[in-house]
């Protein structure tokens, strides 16, 4: 089994040569100090901990899994030591608020870091990533007092965080949750209810676990508008500040599941546990979205990272494994057969994974740069435009990275033939671990509905127009660049198809309410292809610049341009079939009676 190697060269190329991170950070208060050397040092340390601490306990974690004994959950051997080192390195609070002990690093760096930890060990990565998401929701919406009490310990990793939304009867539709919160005289609340599928609901990595719980007050309005958010610690602190008082929070069971076996997935019972409200009553879902938007990008990176990990194994294998002869004649006359890398179909599979991973990584950094602009930039106009782009990009990133990530893991597995199906090479674990990213944090179907419905058909803020403006500005500035013309023309044509099909869906939906749901998944894929074309144009431009300067790794730039050509000729054409699929309409989907299924 090959060891995971963080793709530092590609990450640095995207960060510096495509995104121009140094000048981006120099333009914003709070990030000016972040020079190239510091960014590279962070990435190198992240690579080291991912490769040397997390990857070594990935397979053993999968084999051993988590266990529940006497109401306590134990993580696999080695996770505790890895967590200690991870927390001591300051990684849990990497992008946390500096006023409360966080490192204050921008999201652009955090996404590259998260890709590495997800690729090295997805099960492990979920524990700190949920803590980071919980901290973000508290940092944005909780009172000063709650922030003082919880954030420093969450950032240091001494305590960890969870997100408790799902109930047995309420998954996608959180408006129907039954967990109740009763106000107490001291200003706290008694929380009662059962949550299921809670990642990191219980474990032995941190001293305390801080649950962010969605619950309803007795007088709350029905549906999603009546949900409030509470902080509920597993243990309350005594007067000396020690988390030792039992708070009626218990783990009833852990799930036995397809993948991410080192991540505990818990049934959590809250039996009149003491909780503290975050922000105002009935605004809980809105607050939780702060956390979910953050988590959604991270969960997308789970798919992306695992696909990259799988690509590394499959490309190395394809150069070594000999079977059959090349169609053009023997490549390796001294051996009994040629390496399978000579076969066009093997190359199709490898290039497909690679083209999606590299474009996805560029898109993750691009989306993160918009999150940073929305957060740090001094100019309100810039902040607002970036926030609109983030709203549009988040569901696309989550669903595309995880769909293409799973697909990539399966393709890489296929490159190994039967050897990909058995455990030895680790690819069957990657397939199992990547699958969940398409389901949790809102299924990919729901991401697509959010995009096509709320963010396109019902949009009043001009979100798609904002993306179109970004692309138009990019295209206008390069319309005389002959070397880039194939990409610029492809990008213009793809954007124009997206705009046309958006109008088509809006018009169709005026008379047929099912049209949005029928179009949503292919629509999200169209948007994703437009964005990937945009990213490939930016990467080719940077590679051409590198070649013209005659500095750097020419082989790297050459491979970048050839992978871009593969994307343009072999992947982008799918856009037209997706448009045709959307125009196929909703009737064929709704024609069968429920009993006929
Ligand atoms: C391993 C694991 C870890 C998890 N971690 C957490 C966690 O930490 N915290 C937490 O709160 N939850 C967690 N979850 C729960 C997860 O977020 C939910 O499973 C997911 O949101 C889907 O909910 P559901 O399973 O109830 O499916 P349902 O909501 O029942 O959906 C079933 C199917 O119907 C579709 N569907 C539902 N409604 C619509 C609609 N309106 N339009 C179109 N299609 C629709 C869905 O897309 C899906 O395909 C986890 C789940 C798993 C398996």
């Amino acid at each position: 089994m090959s060891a995971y190697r963080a793709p530092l060269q590609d990450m640095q190329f995207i960060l510096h040569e495509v995104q121009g991170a140094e000048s981006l950070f120099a333009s914003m208060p709070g990030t000016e100090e972040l020079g190239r050397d510091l960014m590279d040092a962070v990435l190198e340390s992240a690579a080291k901990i991912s490769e040397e601490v997390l990857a070594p306990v990935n397979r053993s974690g999968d084999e051993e899994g988590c266990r529940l004994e006497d109401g306590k959950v134990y993580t696999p051997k080695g996770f505790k030591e890895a967590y200690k080192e991870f927390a001591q390195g300051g990684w849990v609070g990497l992008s946390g608020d500096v006023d409360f002990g966080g490192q204050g690093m921008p999201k652009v760096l955090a996404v590259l870091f998260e890709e590495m930890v997800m690729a090295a060990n997805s099960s492990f990565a979920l524990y700190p990533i949920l803590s980071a998401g919980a901290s973000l929701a508290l940092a944005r919406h909780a009172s000063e007092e709650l922030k003082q009490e919880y954030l420093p310990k969450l950032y240091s990793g001494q305590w960890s965080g969870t997100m408790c939304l799902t109930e047995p009867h309420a998954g996608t539709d959180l408006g129907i949750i039954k967990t109740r919160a009763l106000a107490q005289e001291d200003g706290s609340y008694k929380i009662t209810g059962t949550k299921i599928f809670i990642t990191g609901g219980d474990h032995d990595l941190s001293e305390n676990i801080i649950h962010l719980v969605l619950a309803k007050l007795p007088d709350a309005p029905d549906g999603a508008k009546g949900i409030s958010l509470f902080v509920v610690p597993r243990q309350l602190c005594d007067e000396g500040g020690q988390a030792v008082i039992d708070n009626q929070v218990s783990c009833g069971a852990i799930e036995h599941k397809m993948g991410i076996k080192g991540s505990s997935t818990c049934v959590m019972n809250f039996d009149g546990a003491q909780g503290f409200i975050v922000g105002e009553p009935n605004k809980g879902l809105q607050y939780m979205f702060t956390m979910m938007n953050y988590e959604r990008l991270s969960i997308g990176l789970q798919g992306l990272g695992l696909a990259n990990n799988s690509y590394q194994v499959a490309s190395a294998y394809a150069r070594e494994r000999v079977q059959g002869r090349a169609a053009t004649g023997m490549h390796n006359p001294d051996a009994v057969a040629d390496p399978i890398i000579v076969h066009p179909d093997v190359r199709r599979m490898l290039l497909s994974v690679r083209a999606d991973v590299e474009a996805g990584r560029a898109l993750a950094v691009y989306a993160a740069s918009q999150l940073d602009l929305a957060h740090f930039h001094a100019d309100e106009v810039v902040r607002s435009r970036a926030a609109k782009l983030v709203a549009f990009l988040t569901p696309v990133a989550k669903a595309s990275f995880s769909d293409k990530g799973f697909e990539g893991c399966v393709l890489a597995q296929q490159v190994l033939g039967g050897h990909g199906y058995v455990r030895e090479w680790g690819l069957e674990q990657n397939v199992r671990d990547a699958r969940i990213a398409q389901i949790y944090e809102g299924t990919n179907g729901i991401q697509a509905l959010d995009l096509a419905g709320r963010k396109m058909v019902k949009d009043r803020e001009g979100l798609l127009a904002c993306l179109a403006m970004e692309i138009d500005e990019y295209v206008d500035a390069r319309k005389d660049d002959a070397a880039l013309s194939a990409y610029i023309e492809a990008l213009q044509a793809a954007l124009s198809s997206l705009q046309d099909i958006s109008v088509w869906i809006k018009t169709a939906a005026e008379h047929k309410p099912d049209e949005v749901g029928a179009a949503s998944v292919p629509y999200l894929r169209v948007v994703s292809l437009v964005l990937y074309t945009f990213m490939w144009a930016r990467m080719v431009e940077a590679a051409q610049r590198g070649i013209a300067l005659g500095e750097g790794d020419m082989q790297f730039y050459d491979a970048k341009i050839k992978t871009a050509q593969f994307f343009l000729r072999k992947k982008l054409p799918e856009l037209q079939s997706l448009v045709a699929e959307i125009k196929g309409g909703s009737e064929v989907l709704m024609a069968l009676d429920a009993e006929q299924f």
Side-chain angles (χ1 to χ4, degrees):
M1 192 170 69
S2 318
Y4 169 69
R5 285 281 158 263
L8 277 182
Q9 185 177 20
D10 199 50
M11 289 181 165
Q12 283 163 344
F13 167 74
I14 290 170
L15 194 59
H16 304 306
E17 296 176 57
V18 179
Q19 194 61 50
E22 204 167 10
S23 51
L24 170 75
F25 295 143
S27 71
M28 300 187 297
T31 59
E32 310 96 319
E33 305 288 300
L34 214 51
R36 184 173 180 144
D37 288 349
L38 180 54
M39 285 186 255
D40 287 347
V42 171
L43 290 184
E44 279 158 25
S45 305
K48 198 166 152 53
I49 193 156
S50 303
E51 292 168 1
E52 295 176 12
V53 178
L54 308 189
V57 289
N58 182 44
R59 173 141 175 198
S60 53
D62 178 59
E63 281 167 355
E64 187 184 335
C66 293
R67 60 183 209 284
L68 175 68
E69 275 174 22
D70 299 330
K72 274 184 71 69
V73 175
Y74 296 89
T75 54
K77 212 179 288 150
F79 270 42
K80 254 179 127 161
E81 293 75 10
Y83 183 81
K84 198 170 166 201
E85 199 168 333
F86 192 90
Q88 278 171 351
W91 295 108
V92 184
L94 185 70
S95 43
D97 190 334
V98 282
D99 291 339
F100 298 93
Q103 307 279 327
M105 287 284 163
K107 187 71 181 165
V108 161
L109 281 180
V111 290
L112 293 173
F113 162 67
E114 284 174 0
E115 182 198 318
M116 293 186 223
V117 294
M118 283 293 200
N121 190 335
S122 282
S123 288
F124 178 93
L126 288 166
Y127 296 104
I129 282 175
L130 274 180
S131 292
S135 310
L136 187 76
L138 291 176
R140 295 272 167 88
H141 307 295
S143 65
E144 217 38 45
E145 197 185 337
L146 287 180
K147 286 198 242 185
Q148 290 288 359
E149 186 168 354
Y150 292 101
L151 286 180
K153 290 196 170 100
L154 282 167
Y155 289 148
S156 72
Q158 195 179 343
W159 293 356
S160 61
T162 76
M163 179 169 96
C164 300
L165 288 70
T166 308
E167 298 183 6
H169 67 291
T172 301
D173 188 357
L174 293 169
I176 57 174
I177 58 167
K178 289 182 182 160
T179 299
R180 289 287 174 264
L182 269 183
Q184 305 298 296
E185 281 182 0
D186 63 1
S188 69
Y189 292 80
K190 258 194 190 328
I191 311 291
T192 304
T194 295
K195 298 285 180 179
I196 62 163
F197 294 159
I198 304 309
T199 300
D202 196 52
H203 56 76
D204 55 357
L205 302 178
S206 58
E207 288 172 18
N208 199 3
I209 301 177
I210 310 306
H211 303 284
L212 288 197
V213 183
L214 289 184
K216 289 196 158 192
L217 294 164
D219 56 350
D222 284 342
K225 292 201 171 107
I227 298 175
S228 302
L229 179 62
F230 299 88
V231 190
V232 187
R234 183 181 66 185
Q235 265 112 25
L236 297 162
C237 289
D238 63 11
E239 282 179 0
Q242 299 300 308
V244 288
I245 306 170
D246 180 44
N247 189 25
Q248 303 302 311
V249 179
S250 59
C251 172
I254 54 173
E255 302 296 342
H256 301 282
K257 52 197 193 293
M258 175 180 176
I260 52 163
K261 290 175 188 267
S263 164
S264 60
T265 307
C266 307
V267 173
M268 296 304 300
N269 298 316
F270 298 88
D271 300 311
Q274 188 176 25
F276 308 92
I277 195 159
V278 176
E280 293 172 38
N282 303 328
K283 291 200 173 160
L285 204 54
Q286 187 185 319
Y287 300 153
M288 204 54 135
F289 267 106
T290 305
M291 179 168 178
M292 283 197 278
N293 277 335
Y294 179 97
E295 295 292 336
R296 280 179 178 167
L297 195 48
S298 306
I299 293 308
L301 293 167
Q302 181 179 0
L304 187 73
L306 287 170
N308 182 236
N309 179 322
S310 301
Y311 173 83
Q312 292 184 11
V313 177
S315 57
Y317 185 88
R319 282 192 294 261
E320 295 290 321
R321 172 75 170 170
V322 296
Q323 291 292 298
R325 290 292 184 192
T328 49
M330 281 190 230
H331 273 233
N332 196 0
D334 298 335
V336 290
D338 286 335
I340 59 170
I341 194 96
V342 301
H343 304 307
D345 188 54
V346 171
R347 288 169 166 255
R348 173 189 66 78
M349 295 188 275
L350 289 173
L351 276 164
S352 186
V353 186
R354 180 174 176 147
D356 283 340
V357 164
E358 292 182 9
R361 183 176 296 130
L363 180 58
V365 169
Y366 177 75
S369 74
Q370 299 301 328
L371 269 167
D372 288 334
L373 284 169
H375 183 61
F376 292 107
H377 205 280
D379 184 343
E380 162 57 24
V381 177
V382 176
R383 284 205 305 274
S384 148
R385 176 168 154 167
K388 286 183 190 176
L389 268 170
V390 168
F392 199 74
L393 296 176
T394 301
V396 186
K398 191 274 180 180
S400 295
F401 298 170
S402 56
D403 278 348
K404 290 177 193 298
F406 177 71
E407 204 178 291
C409 290
V410 173
L411 278 173
Q413 184 184 37
Q414 190 77 10
V415 169
L416 274 74
H419 299 273
Y421 192 73
V422 298
R423 283 191 67 72
E424 185 187 353
W425 292 84
L427 295 191
E428 62 85 39
Q429 183 190 341
N430 285 358
V431 170
R432 289 185 287 103
D433 285 355
R435 182 67 180 89
I436 185 61
Q438 298 173 294
I439 297 173
Y440 58 13
E441 284 302 329
T443 63
N444 285 358
I446 295 302
Q447 304 299 324
L449 207 54
D450 176 44
L451 179 77
R454 265 185 354 110
K455 291 175 177 166
M456 193 272 286
V457 171
K458 291 189 188 150
D459 170 48
R460 300 275 172 272
E461 295 180 280
L463 302 186
L464 174 58
C466 217
L467 174 64
M469 206 192 301
E470 279 277 303
I471 294 177
D472 285 340
E473 282 171 9
Y474 178 82
V475 165
D476 280 349
R478 286 151 187 87
K479 55 179 181 297
D480 299 325
D481 184 343
L484 206 60
S485 62
Y487 297 91
I488 295 297
E489 282 161 24
L491 182 55
Q492 276 179 307
L495 177 62
S496 161
S497 296
L498 168 62
Q499 289 168 317
D500 290 350
I501 199 63
S502 302
V503 173
W504 188 93
I505 297 169
K506 265 189 183 179
T507 312
E510 282 170 17
H511 307 292
K512 297 181 198 156
D514 278 327
E515 214 62 48
V516 180
S520 55
V521 167
Y523 181 75
L524 184 143
R525 291 185 181 155
V526 168
V527 178
S528 151
L529 281 169
V530 172
L531 287 165
Y532 280 25
T533 311
F534 187 21
M535 294 304 120
W536 275 115
R538 285 157 51 99
M539 288 192 281
V540 168
E541 186 188 6
Q544 286 175 346
R545 195 167 48 236
I547 291 171
L549 284 170
E551 289 166 10
D553 183 345
M554 294 300 139
Q555 282 285 345
F556 174 86
Y557 293 135
D558 182 56
K560 191 58 86 177
I561 291 170
K562 286 174 177 160
T563 309
Q565 285 163 350
F566 168 83
F567 172 82
L568 217 55
R569 293 205 205 148
K570 296 287 192 183
K571 299 211 62 127
L572 184 57
E574 193 196 350
L575 193 147
Q576 290 315 324
S577 78
L578 290 165
V579 166
E581 183 185 341
I582 294 170
K583 289 188 174 169
S586 61
E587 286 95 340
V588 284
L589 294 173
M590 307 314 287
L592 262 69
D593 290 334
E595 297 72 38
Q596 289 178 286
F597 277 89

